[in-house]
Amino acid sequence: MITDVVIAGGGPNGLMLACELSLAGVRPVVLERLPEPSEEPKANGLLGQVVKMLDRRGLCERLSGSPEPPQPNSTYFMFGAMGLDLSLLEDSPIYALPVPQRRIVQVLQERAIELGVEIRRGHEVVGLSQDDDAVTIDVASPGGAYHLRARHLIGADGAHSTTRKLSGIGFPGITYDRMTVRSAHATVPADWVDPATGALNVPGYGAVSPFMPHRTERGGFSYAPMPGHPPLVSTTEWDQPTTDAPMSLDELRASIRRVLGVDVPLGPPDGQGPHALRRLTGGNTRVAERFADGRVFLIGDAAHVYAATGGGPGLNLGLQDAVNLGWKLAAEIRGSAPSGLLNSYETERRSAAQRMVLNAQAQAALIAPGSDVTGLREVFTELLRDPSTVQRLAELTAGADVRYAMGGREAHPLVGRFAPDMELHTPAGPVRLAELTRTARPLLLDLTEGASLAETLALRHDQVDIVAARSQAPAPTALLLRPDCYVAWASASPRPDPMEIETLRAALQRWFGVAEGTVRVSGQARSRRPEHR
Ligand SMILES: Cc1cc2nc3c(=O)[nH]c(=O)nc-3n(C[C@H](O)[C@H](O)[C@H](O)COP(=O)(O)OP(=O)(O)OC[C@H]3O[C@@H](n4cnc5c(N)ncnc54)[C@H](O)[C@@H]3O)c2cc1C
């Protein structure tokens, strides 16, 4: 028997892909070598466009515990440990969701199980080979070794990906070994914390804003008071002597003294662990030479890693890889994928990864020690008074400047971009666009006069949801969204002209293989909110 999709790795990105495939009607098998989810403290939260993406699937609510839509940070952020004044912007792209990685994994695993995904814990991929029909996967499990045949294997097995190595895919890039990052959950003197701003007032140094890296000519310092947890305190230094000694709070205290020039009396963390106490020397910045090899695809850290110190957290990239690949792979398996659809995964996500690597490397260069870097930073600080520079850097950091090539004229500025959320009025009542995309289906949103796009195109197929609505906002008047919420076509005309209708027809064909006269207008989709699965 051949399984449609096997996912190697039940970390956040593998589980997200499993959810996406399931929403599209394909039930994958997830093989995860760990018997239980890892307790290793990794991500402290999600940053950037991924937060909006998770809102498009109803997952923000589960992660934040709040039914409110996510709100952007419109005050202050950092780029290379320099202030970005987000109040200069009309539309801040910086969204943050402070949730630890183990909770993200827990929520995604619960969702995957709800959607019928089979997760085999304690099962490790140890070998693979491909033929014309399938991938044969060798699995080691507590019950013994066995083989699985799958039409596609996805390597979501992290930075040291076995899938990538067994597929002979190189992982070129650089290992930067001059930098040492020390981090620990620790207590700080309560009277040093400003109750109004949350800043840490360090006598002899000054205020350290929470979650914002600070640079001195000797290194970096950051203070991250996570809700419900002891603060995470970190330093970054260059050219430190190597040591095999276990990391300790004393070592972090000494590092802080070197970086800030003053003492910070850290205490052991209170509350329930696990607590971080780590020293990481060096960092890899690498992008896989291919994201696909025949029937094998890579997502997340298996496809790209970069040094976290430079900013631009990994899950912003990896979770969106999963969302990009899910609907395309499902269409391929159903036999409805237009030519070239699956190849667009690599084209689109490689450019997103390279952009994020650029961001991380630029920020790493700006926080390096030395007076020459200080000079560079002074120039940058002047540039950062310009709102358009702040906008560009905020978008770069958030991964919000990604624009995919959609083919055609791409006349409307939203084409190729992640669709903004909109308040809509449908016959069934008000709804946010983000709520209409939770089924992960293609969506034609018709806000035109008379809402007659479907009739004009004689759409009759159930591959595309069609929602007629009204919006207070002046533009756009119609949008065709891919399941990953990127805009494949848009119009600003109250009555799109024949040329625009032709480009809409071409977009339906290009992305969903929908030929003229084969799309059915669903009465349900037109008249009520889609059900949240
Ligand atoms: C200290 C630290 C802090 C970080 N902070 C942030 C942050 O604040 N925000 C952020 O967005 N990102 C952060 N990151 C990055 C983020 O943790 C990673 O990008 C993320 O874990 C990648 O997810 P993944 O699913 O691709 O891989 P992983 O999380 O590595 O998951 C891979 C899974 O595959 C399993 N596996 C491996 N090999 C096999 C095999 N052969 N067979 C079966 N299963 C296998 C592993 O057991 C694991 O469960 C941080 C990383 C570190 C190390």
Side-chain angles (χ1 to χ4, degrees), residues 1 3-9 14 18 21 26-32 116-120 123 137 146 148 150 152-154:
M1 200 179 100
T3 305
D4 282 332
V5 180
V6 167
I7 300 174
L21 285 167
V26 172
R27 300 275 180 277
V29 173
V30 177
L31 302 175
E32 167 53 56
V117 173
E118 183 187 348
I119 301 173
R120 299 185 190 173
H123 292 230
I137 303 150
Y146 65 97
L148 264 179
H152 294 280
L153 169 66
I154 314 303

Side-chain angles (χ1 to χ4, degrees), residues 7-16 30-38 40-47 50 97 99-101 104-105 120-127 137-140 155-163 166 181 183 226 232 276 278 280 299-306 308 312-319 321:
I7 300 174
N13 295 324
L15 291 169
M16 185 74 193
V30 177
L31 302 175
E32 167 53 56
R33 73 174 168 203
L34 297 178
E36 298 295 333
S38 168
E40 184 190 347
K42 278 189 168 180
N44 294 313
L46 299 167
L47 179 79
V50 67
L97 196 55
V99 184
Q101 184 154 330
I104 296 170
V105 168
R120 299 185 190 173
R121 285 204 161 269
H123 292 230
E124 180 174 3
V125 172
V126 292
I137 303 150
D138 306 331
V139 186
D157 42 358
H160 303 286
S161 171
T162 302
T163 308
L166 290 173
V181 179
S183 309
M226 302 296 296
L232 185 70
R278 65 178 166 247
L280 294 174
I299 63 169
D301 280 16
H304 39 68
V305 291
Y306 47 87
L315 287 170
N316 191 19
L317 207 48
L319 292 170
D321 289 348

